[in-house]
Amino acid sequence: MQFISTRGGMQPQPFSETLLEGLAPDGGLAVPAEMPTVDTETLERWRALTYPQLATEVLGLFATDIPREDLARMTEAAYAPFPGDVVPLRSIGDGLTLVGLSEGPTLAFKDMAMQFLGQVLEYALERKGSVLNILGATSGDTGSAAEHALRGKDRVSVFMLSPQGRMSAFQRAQMFSLDDDNVHNIAIEGVFDDCQNLVKRLAGDLDFKRAQNLGAVNSINLARIIAQIVYYFWAWLRATDAEGPTEVSFTVPSGNFGNICSGFFAKQMGLPIRRLVLAANENNVLDEFFRTGVYRPRNAAQTLATSSPSMDISKASNLERFIFELVGRDPERVVEAWRDLDEQGYFDFAGDQPRFALEYGIVSGTSTHADRLETIRSVYASTEEIIDPHTADGVKVARQYVEEGVPMLVLETAKPHKFAETINEAIGVELDYSKELREMLGAPQHVTEMADDEHALRAFIEANALR
Ligand SMILES: *Cc1c(COP(=O)(O)O)cnc(C)c1O
């Protein structure tokens, strides 16, 4: 299995070679040169597998340059920190079932891919005899998932920038309570965009990047997208264990189009998915695209701070992987679309919009703060389940698309404990924290405070990077 770029300018590469970079050298995103397919018998055979075993099978279709027994060892290690079945399903009535993706160390779905990425990065670096220093910016979830997946590794270190004083107390504790030598928390005097600009400037300085072995694990990372395909197969298998093979629909609380892109790949691989429902919050640039065919990213000033903050995006980088399929895998047309975007601020596929649902099953909807509160309330009233605000966006939009006889699986992307204020606002309940969480919240914090200053950051990395 080889991987190519959506913009056509990359030599085909095996899985391991795509791990260490973010964008392909031509500015595009890595995609499988050919999508592997899974037939009905194989699906049935997979019913008996544990989550790590299933992950080995699915990942093995893509990571063909990694021996099977190595892959099996890595998936076992990646999902060992998860309790029970790794991904539990639970019904909340009205034809809806939650798919629990937030049982991992940081209580959000990004652990699902990041835990595997931590294993496979260390493995690939060992084989190459090299080291990697991850430089990233976070407003919360991504940074903590990366740090928890990479802590204590020998060949990878993490430099994670965050906006000083702008993360929740819970998010700060989750990151800053780590005291591993290879984890560097840097709180920048500024907002998230300032952090991201610092990362862009340093990663754009190719000499510095090479000298310091800098890399990224952001949401366009191919291995993350591939690792997320596994739980779509798992959820389909568990949802159809009793009734036998039948089509199901998924609703995905979405930001960067990363999670739902994995579902889109699963559907292309032949998993019987009827609809992929994209749920957006008020920052609904993707809902707009799927309803009209016009994609118009927003600027920082047009991006709202909402109560489902991990979906507060201005643009959705992974959408390029969908566009690549939409234009029949013609890299010229992808380049053209992104040229339009640069020149006029949008691109327009209005003529193709009916195909989004007909060919790919993708439909969409928007949820607001009032919807989140109402949904948290109604789910609590009918089931006593407390769902987090992102999952509530999903449940709200899922309800618009429930069909008789088609199970609707809603991805639970975080635990409510991360967003206790909104839960309290919705249902007046103070959530109980486990002993581990209370310890984490009270632990000493390790963070370096820094001005929004490129030179200070360079010096800090030079002094602390692995080499
Ligand atoms: C990251 C995140 C999302 C959005 O996922 P994308 O892959 O960016 O679409 C949704 N919910 C939570 C809790 C997240 O952390």
Side-chain angles (χ1 to χ4, degrees):
M1 166 68 68
Q2 299 281 96
F3 295 86
I4 55 175
S5 163
T6 49
R7 301 204 190 170
M10 181 172 87
Q11 280 299 318
Q13 291 185 348
F15 183 79
S16 302
E17 292 299 317
T18 67
L19 288 175
L20 308 182
E21 287 291 332
L23 288 177
D26 61 355
L29 271 54
V31 286
E34 222 178 298
M35 199 60 83
T37 55
V38 175
D39 60 26
T40 320
E41 287 105 78
T42 309
L43 272 178
E44 287 309 313
R45 202 151 32 77
W46 286 357
R47 275 194 199 283
L49 303 183
T50 64
Y51 193 92
Q53 289 169 340
L54 180 67
T56 304
E57 295 299 320
V58 174
L59 287 159
L61 298 172
F62 297 92
T64 49
D65 58 333
I66 299 178
R68 206 37 96 92
E69 58 275 19
D70 293 349
L71 210 47
R73 193 174 39 71
M74 287 190 271
T75 58
E76 279 298 338
Y79 298 106
F82 292 68
D85 269 357
V86 181
V87 174
L89 271 63
R90 57 194 203 278
S91 165
I92 51 168
D94 303 328
L96 301 180
T97 298
L98 296 181
V99 179
L101 301 180
S102 29
E103 309 296 313
T106 74
L107 311 186
F109 93 95
K110 291 188 177 67
D111 289 330
M112 295 302 304
M114 212 63 98
Q115 286 291 319
F116 173 72
L117 188 62
Q119 296 293 328
V120 74
L121 267 183
E122 181 85 346
Y123 174 84
L125 291 166
E126 234 160 62
R127 285 212 299 197
K128 286 180 104 159
S130 55
V131 295
L132 187 67
N133 296 295
I134 300 290
L135 174 61
T138 188
S139 52
D141 286 349
T142 307
S144 63
E147 290 184 356
H148 282 262
L150 297 170
R151 62 187 296 199
K153 299 260 184 274
D154 293 330
R155 292 177 175 273
V156 198
S157 72
V158 190
F159 295 83
M160 193 56 67
L161 313 189
S162 59
Q164 210 169 305
R166 287 178 189 262
M167 290 194 297
S168 71
F170 193 97
Q171 289 173 319
R172 275 200 305 275
Q174 224 170 30
M175 290 176 61
F176 302 169
S177 63
L178 297 181
D179 66 352
D180 302 81
D181 291 341
N182 71 331
V183 172
H184 307 280
N185 286 302
I186 305 169
I188 298 288
E189 283 170 24
V191 296
F192 173 68
D193 280 331
D194 299 321
C195 299
Q196 203 156 33
N197 286 335
L198 281 170
V199 170
K200 279 192 190 143
R201 284 211 293 281
L202 262 58
D205 176 346
L206 295 184
D207 291 332
F208 184 76
K209 188 177 172 209
R210 209 166 301 125
Q212 304 303 325
N213 297 307
L214 292 189
V217 291
N218 45 28
S219 79
I220 55 171
N221 182 290
L222 174 83
R224 284 179 63 184
I225 301 290
I226 304 286
Q228 289 167 185
I229 294 174
V230 178
Y231 53 72
Y232 284 89
F233 278 86
W234 174 265
W236 181 87
L237 288 165
R238 296 296 78 81
T240 60
D241 272 335
E243 307 284 321
T246 167
E247 279 194 328
V248 308
S249 292
F250 284 92
T251 299
V252 189
S254 292
N256 256 318
F257 202 75
N259 196 348
I260 197 168
C261 183
S262 306
F264 171 62
F265 282 6
K267 184 167 162 62
Q268 287 191 302
M269 291 166 72
L271 188 68
I273 297 177
R274 177 164 159 76
R275 273 178 174 161
L276 285 165
V277 182
L278 181 147
N281 69 12
E282 291 90 331
N283 297 296
N284 57 356
V285 37
L286 282 174
D287 181 29
E288 196 171 279
F289 172 69
F290 282 98
R291 277 185 294 106
T292 66
V294 176
Y295 176 60
R296 191 189 297 271
R298 299 172 189 172
N299 59 35
Q302 294 164 320
T303 307
L304 304 165
T306 76
S307 51
S308 48
S310 303
M311 292 158 61
D312 291 348
I313 49 109
S314 51
K315 59 178 199 294
S317 330
N318 280 299
L319 185 65
E320 184 162 339
R321 291 187 162 112
F322 171 73
I323 300 295
F324 181 65
E325 297 300 329
L326 185 70
V327 299
R329 302 194 135 221
D330 178 354
E332 291 298 315
R333 291 192 59 199
V334 175
V335 170
E336 230 169 75
W338 262 263
R339 194 185 307 133
D340 283 354
L341 204 54
D342 284 342
E343 286 171 5
Q344 32 173 4
Y346 67 92
F347 60 65
D348 185 347
F349 282 97
D352 290 292
Q353 192 276 344
R355 296 174 54 213
F356 300 172
L358 286 174
E359 275 177 47
Y360 304 107
I362 305 182
V363 293
S364 68
T366 291
S367 161
T368 65
H369 179 68
D371 291 327
R372 283 187 280 285
L373 296 183
E374 172 50 32
T375 306
I376 292 168
R377 237 177 258 142
S378 69
V379 169
Y380 184 61
S382 62
T383 65
E384 290 189 6
E385 292 272 356
I386 300 179
I387 58 172
D388 103 288
H390 306 79
T391 309
D393 286 327
V395 170
K396 190 269 172 178
V397 177
R399 283 177 173 159
Q400 292 167 230
Y401 288 102
V402 173
E403 295 168 283
E404 186 71 35
V406 184
M408 174 61 86
L409 309 184
V410 182
L411 302 188
E412 182 187 44
T413 54
K415 288 281 190 204
H417 304 80
K418 289 193 99 159
F419 306 97
E421 254 171 51
T422 303
I423 301 304
N424 195 315
E425 187 183 348
I427 54 176
V429 169
E430 290 287 349
L431 288 168
D432 279 338
Y433 290 106
S434 64
K435 180 164 161 290
E436 286 84 7
L437 290 180
R438 283 199 307 275
E439 278 169 11
M440 180 197 82
L441 288 163
Q445 302 202 342
H446 309 273
V447 57
T448 303
E449 297 189 347
M450 201 179 278
D452 178 6
D453 174 1
E454 186 180 327
H455 298 287
L457 181 58
R458 278 174 190 267
F460 185 87
I461 292 174
E462 278 167 357
N464 293 288
L466 294 175
R467 34 195 113 247

